[in-house]
Amino acid sequence: MKAGVRPLETFPVRIGTQRLRVAIGGAPDAERTLLLFNGIGASVETLAPFIARFSHTRVVTFDAPGVGESPAPWLPYRPRDIARLGADLLTHLGVQRAHVFGVSWGGAAAQEFAINHPRRCSTLTLAATCAGIVMVPGRLNVLLKMLSPRRYVDPAYLMRIGGDLYGGELRFETELLQLHAQSMRSPSWHGYFYQLLATAGWTSWPWLKRVQAPALVMMGSDDPIVPPVNGRIIAAGLPRATLETVDCGHLFVLTRAAQTARRVERFMDQHAAATA
């Protein structure tokens, strides 16, 4: 973990039959809560540098089933099931209403949360994500690398392919990529396959018009995985969307952690009165 980054408070929670490892960071005593859905294969540690940058917000996240210390379930699931886990986790923590953030794969769950739990969603922020099967895909050689969790298992492999995979500053900032590699925990192959399967054939597009929460859509200008045009597709379907492009790659929440966290907090502040 990067020096100076406050460690996350982690603890197990059982939601129905699923055991989750939950993490809380940012400003743990803050009145408002941000529920964060992480990317594919990524445990809570990978976003610790980003979470630590929130100065006025308690950030709640969890290892998806099959990732980190959350065991894989017996049966496959869909993004709406991850959204429901998030909603049930908020209930467990005594939080009725939260701001919602989804990055990459977690953007699907965040969209499902806003669609299916509208009264519990104050604002919606989506980072480096898409609306499912209507997406404009990234480069084939990049997407093929996403089919395997090898980058989480083999740090040397990540250092070799990370720049081309994630784009932006990670093309030349090897120190940033090394810090990311050090924070990773290997997902199970079973769990990673279930995450891939969860979004197969999935789309949010027909239901985005139901989302009444203010939405901030942030895309990296040099994203080999989710090209920035996908942000325009999502924003076009959301009734109250603001679209912004970050001059970086797929992992701008890490390479631009402080700037991204400040932007999200300003967005939440802007809509505080309307969502109170």
Side-chain angles (χ1 to χ4, degrees), residues 138-175:
R139 293 194 292 273
L140 180 60
N141 66 322
V142 169
L143 297 180
L144 289 174
K145 292 181 176 69
M146 295 293 292
L147 295 177
S148 163
R150 182 181 173 186
R151 65 192 182 280
Y152 291 107
V153 180
D154 184 352
Y157 175 72
L158 175 65
M159 295 301 296
R160 189 164 66 250
I161 61 99
D164 290 336
L165 182 65
Y166 296 125
E169 295 176 16
L170 294 182
R171 293 189 187 277
F172 51 87
E173 289 283 356
T174 56
E175 183 179 354

Side-chain angles (χ1 to χ4, degrees), residues 54-112:
F54 284 84
S55 57
H56 306 295
T57 309
R58 176 174 71 157
V59 182
V60 174
T61 189
F62 59 92
D63 286 339
V67 175
E69 295 180 19
S70 295
W74 286 105
L75 298 175
Y77 54 82
R78 300 294 278 171
R80 64 176 176 271
D81 299 314
I82 302 301
R84 187 181 305 115
L85 282 175
D88 290 345
L89 173 59
L90 291 179
T91 299
H92 178 86
L93 297 175
V95 178
Q96 180 57 36
R97 189 173 174 88
H99 301 267
V100 177
F101 187 107
V103 56
S104 193
W105 182 91
Q111 291 170 70
E112 288 285 354

Side-chain angles (χ1 to χ4, degrees), residues 3-273:
V5 173
R6 184 168 58 239
L8 298 172
E9 175 194 355
T10 63
F11 51 92
V13 168
R14 182 168 292 278
I15 305 293
T17 59
Q18 178 66 52
R19 181 167 58 84
L20 296 176
R21 181 174 64 146
V22 176
I24 294 180
D29 297 325
E31 291 186 3
R32 70 182 175 195
T33 297
L34 179 71
L35 175 64
L36 192 157
F37 294 100
N38 205 349
I40 188 169
S43 63
V44 298
E45 289 86 357
T46 60
L47 284 182
F50 175 57
I51 292 172
R53 298 295 185 170
F54 284 84
S55 57
H56 306 295
T57 309
R58 176 174 71 157
V59 182
V60 174
T61 189
F62 59 92
D63 286 339
V67 175
E69 295 180 19
S70 295
W74 286 105
L75 298 175
Y77 54 82
R78 300 294 278 171
R80 64 176 176 271
D81 299 314
I82 302 301
R84 187 181 305 115
L85 282 175
D88 290 345
L89 173 59
L90 291 179
T91 299
H92 178 86
L93 297 175
V95 178
Q96 180 57 36
R97 189 173 174 88
H99 301 267
V100 177
F101 187 107
V103 56
S104 193
W105 182 91
Q111 291 170 70
E112 288 285 354
F113 188 101
I115 292 166
N116 294 300
H117 307 276
R119 295 183 179 179
R120 306 194 68 177
C121 183
S122 296
T123 64
L124 172 66
T125 301
L126 301 171
T129 193
C130 69
I133 59 172
V134 299
M135 81 173 290
V136 176
R139 293 194 292 273
L140 180 60
N141 66 322
V142 169
L143 297 180
L144 289 174
K145 292 181 176 69
M146 295 293 292
L147 295 177
S148 163
R150 182 181 173 186
R151 65 192 182 280
Y152 291 107
V153 180
D154 184 352
Y157 175 72
L158 175 65
M159 295 301 296
R160 189 164 66 250
I161 61 99
D164 290 336
L165 182 65
Y166 296 125
E169 295 176 16
L170 294 182
R171 293 189 187 277
F172 51 87
E173 289 283 356
T174 56
E175 183 179 354
L176 286 173
L177 193 57
Q178 183 67 45
L179 288 170
H180 183 52
Q182 291 172 356
S183 71
M184 288 183 169
R185 300 185 62 173
S186 174
S188 69
W189 284 82
H190 178 195
Y192 194 86
F193 174 72
Y194 272 7
Q195 285 193 288
L196 288 174
L197 193 62
T199 53
W202 171 86
T203 184
S204 61
W205 177 252
W207 299 281
L208 287 177
K209 60 183 179 292
R210 297 183 186 174
V211 177
Q212 293 306 309
L216 175 62
V217 181
M218 306 179 74
M219 305 297 293
S221 61
D222 178 26
D223 187 339
I225 299 172
V226 187
V229 64
N230 290 286
R232 296 203 293 272
I233 294 172
I234 293 175
L238 289 165
R240 304 174 62 190
T242 299
L243 173 63
E244 297 181 2
T245 302
V246 181
D247 184 21
C248 199
H250 188 69
L251 291 184
F252 61 83
V253 298
L254 297 180
T255 58
R256 303 287 178 88
Q259 299 95 314
T260 304
R262 284 198 300 267
R263 178 64 188 101
V264 175
E265 289 204 301
R266 288 199 307 271
F267 178 69
M268 290 189 286
D269 290 342
Q270 177 186 350
H271 296 281

